[in-house]
Amino acid sequence: PFTEWPFNTKYRGSRSITSFMQKQLHNHFDKNVLIYHEAGAKAHLSLGSGKEALIRSVEVYDAWEIDSHKIDADFTIGIPNADGLFSYINLKRLNLLALVDRASSAVIWFLVVYSSEVSASDVVRLISESLRAQLPVPEKNVLGMHITGDAGFPGERIPELRHALPTVVMPDNALSNLAASVSQELRQKLGFFLNYGPPGHFECRPNVEHTFKNIAQSIFQRLPNTTGASPFSGKAANGAAIARTYKMEASIVEELAYHHFAQHNALESEGIGFLSPLEFIRQKMSAHNQHVIPRRLLDSQVSAITHYRTTVKVKVKCYLNKGVRPFINLDRVRYSNDILRKSPWLANTEIN
């Protein structure tokens, strides 16, 4: 047998076998990606296949994409406290939440979350704030930046879109978006459909993902305290020490995000025909004798929805043997009142 192929050749047939296997991998490209390649490549297999999507969002406010983006860096953030002074907290991560219109790629509104994870109340707050006639823009102007030209948010720049609602909201499968306060209560009050999409397929929300990539590269990955795009790329040396030296107020973080997103809505984009998102919306709404009529909140709903409140279950704590009267803990703060202090029988009871 050693006188037969492949044993009678110099490379023992390895080149022929390699060439054959490469042809097989090329002829069965999809299976090759599913077996050998990373999650990102697998997720993009369904794109560019030439098949039209079953559900297409071509009109303004047909669908809103919602997602969060983690900003990994060593932060020392100044938060105003009850005395009007700044309490500085050390963080390893911030979260950006954003609503993006699917058709125009316009940022509807955003939220900075000073926590390692986003909660359901943050998602509810983002949606309810976006529906206000006057958006809660940063009041301070520490950096001296000003909104000029057409920059801004659709609810500010286009009167017809104040209190306007989407038909479909497209969040990811994070637990915060699956919570009852989002998937049931808010959906029933606002009357939108939810389309979570398949788990792990970030490409289902391309506009919001692209927007996050831009703000991360333009602002946060340029900070001297960044941990970079990955553990092996862009990590700043002595980032924690730099963060403690150059402390940052929360209002500055919000100003940077606000001005970036406002400017994004006024910049031309090749994906929408070299129009800006705001100009795309205006032309869409004026086309065909202004046939686009956005669905809006009823006047009777505006006050309740735009300042929407969520409920949280908490357990009453009471230590009678130590003389500690009943109280609850909420966001690491102890609360009580005259009625609760006189109700030791509520110990270990869950209340809303």
Side-chain angles (χ1 to χ4, degrees), residues 72-101:
D72 290 313
D74 295 298
F75 290 104
T76 301
I77 301 292
I79 307 291
N81 57 32
D83 297 318
L85 306 175
F86 285 97
S87 297
Y88 289 94
I89 58 174
N90 297 321
L91 296 173
K92 290 287 186 181
R93 173 180 291 172
L94 298 180
N95 273 283
L96 283 178
L97 262 176
L99 280 172
V100 176
D101 179 50

Side-chain angles (χ1 to χ4, degrees), residues 171-339:
D172 61 7
N173 285 270
L175 292 179
S176 57
N177 295 318
L178 298 173
S181 58
V182 178
S183 62
Q184 296 180 27
E185 296 174 19
L186 196 63
R187 176 177 59 83
Q188 292 169 359
K189 288 180 180 295
L190 300 182
F192 53 73
F193 295 95
L194 278 171
N195 180 2
Y196 290 103
H201 284 259
F202 54 86
E203 76 281 358
C204 293
R205 298 171 301 279
N207 293 326
V208 69
E209 295 287 352
H210 181 69
T211 304
F212 281 142
K213 179 183 177 182
N214 286 342
I215 191 172
Q217 292 178 343
S218 300
I219 298 177
F220 293 102
Q221 289 178 6
R222 297 173 64 184
L223 296 176
N225 56 334
T226 181
T227 54
S230 73
F232 310 103
S233 174
K235 180 176 175 61
N238 302 319
I242 293 172
R244 288 191 295 269
T245 303
Y246 302 103
K247 298 175 181 178
M248 183 183 296
E249 294 180 19
S251 58
I252 292 180
V253 179
E254 291 162 10
E255 274 186 42
L256 288 170
Y258 172 76
H259 285 275
H260 178 87
F261 287 135
Q263 190 65 39
H264 162 85
N265 289 340
L267 295 177
E268 294 180 356
S269 172
E270 184 177 356
I272 52 176
F274 295 98
L275 298 172
S276 70
L278 287 174
E279 183 59 29
F280 179 93
I281 292 174
R282 290 191 183 100
Q283 290 197 32
K284 273 283 188 180
M285 295 188 68
S286 61
H288 308 296
N289 295 320
Q290 299 181 340
H291 78 290
V292 176
I293 303 176
R295 192 170 61 90
R296 303 176 66 176
L297 282 175
L298 299 175
D299 289 342
S300 59
Q301 292 180 297
V302 170
S303 178
I305 295 297
T306 55
H307 296 84
Y308 188 72
R309 296 180 180 179
T310 59
T311 59
V312 180
K313 278 190 176 182
V314 294
K315 184 175 286 188
V316 176
K317 300 289 186 181
C318 177
Y319 305 101
L320 290 177
N321 57 342
K322 296 182 180 180
V324 179
R325 292 177 290 187
F327 66 92
I328 64 166
N329 280 319
L330 189 63
D331 291 335
R332 299 194 304 171
V333 180
R334 182 177 294 191
Y335 292 94
S336 189
N337 58 31
D338 291 339
I339 297 176

Side-chain angles (χ1 to χ4, degrees), residues 95-139:
N95 273 283
L96 283 178
L97 262 176
L99 280 172
V100 176
D101 179 50
R102 190 172 181 84
S104 65
S105 74
V107 177
I108 309 298
W109 190 236
F110 73 97
L111 194 66
V112 181
V113 180
Y114 300 97
S115 175
S116 59
E117 296 297 335
V118 172
S119 67
S121 61
D122 295 322
V123 177
V124 172
R125 179 185 160 198
L126 170 69
I127 295 176
S128 61
E129 284 187 359
S130 72
L131 297 174
R132 296 180 188 178
Q134 297 293 328
L135 295 175
V137 302
E139 296 180 358

Side-chain angles (χ1 to χ4, degrees), residues 8-52:
N8 59 354
T9 63
K10 180 178 180 181
Y11 294 104
R12 302 293 192 268
S14 61
R15 289 186 174 182
S16 299
I17 295 172
T18 299
S19 177
F20 172 77
M21 290 304 300
Q22 286 179 343
K23 288 179 182 179
Q24 294 301 312
L25 292 175
H26 292 161
N27 292 336
H28 302 85
F29 182 81
D30 288 1
K31 289 184 179 179
N32 173 23
V33 172
L34 289 173
I35 295 172
Y36 295 109
H37 291 273
E38 60 183 11
K42 295 176 184 178
H44 281 94
L45 272 180
S46 58
L47 302 181
S49 61
K51 297 179 182 178
E52 290 286 350

